[in-house]
Amino acid sequence: MYLDSEKKKELFEKYGKSATNTGSPESQIALFTYRISHLTEHLKKNHKDFATERALKMLVGKRRRLLDYLIKVDIERYRAIIRELNIRK
């Protein structure tokens, strides 16, 4: 499996405040970014997998909504997470 509990814990420790802080916008955005990169690689090999393509679009939308929320709440946190994850605006 591409995303095990150890990898999740690592992401939450790095981008959230702690390993147990799984609800912070930064940790959720990091998790979504990891999943998006995995699905993108999958679709490069399997270009006719339309169910995965739909899931990818939904995931990108979720991440976009979280990023929009973070802009409204704290623009500095938004800029920091964009810089760390290399997400283009």
Side-chain angles (χ1 to χ4, degrees):
M1 190 167 178
Y2 79 98
L3 186 63
D4 56 352
S5 60
E6 290 299 319
K7 182 62 179 174
K8 277 187 182 181
K9 186 181 282 189
E10 177 186 321
L11 284 171
F12 291 142
E13 283 177 0
K14 185 173 181 184
Y15 296 104
K17 307 290 187 273
S18 67
T20 58
N21 189 4
T22 60
S24 71
E26 290 92 346
S27 60
Q28 290 294 310
I29 291 168
L31 181 65
F32 289 160
T33 302
Y34 184 78
R35 289 175 60 195
I36 286 170
S37 64
H38 174 74
L39 290 178
T40 303
E41 292 302 315
H42 171 78
L43 282 174
K44 285 180 182 176
K45 297 175 196 156
N46 307 295
H47 65 279
K48 290 188 178 183
D49 188 355
F50 299 113
T52 302
E53 185 177 347
R54 180 177 186 272
L56 175 65
K57 288 177 184 177
M58 290 172 56
L59 206 53
V60 168
K62 278 185 181 182
R63 184 179 72 177
R64 180 78 259 153
R65 286 191 298 275
L66 271 174
L67 286 168
D68 289 344
Y69 165 77
L70 206 53
I71 286 176
K72 286 188 274 185
V73 172
D74 189 359
I75 190 104
E76 291 304 319
R77 286 169 52 194
Y78 168 79
R79 289 179 181 151
I81 196 73
I82 289 290
R83 194 175 319 112
E84 285 182 43
L85 294 174
N86 295 325
I87 300 174
R88 58 191 169 115
K89 172 71 174 132

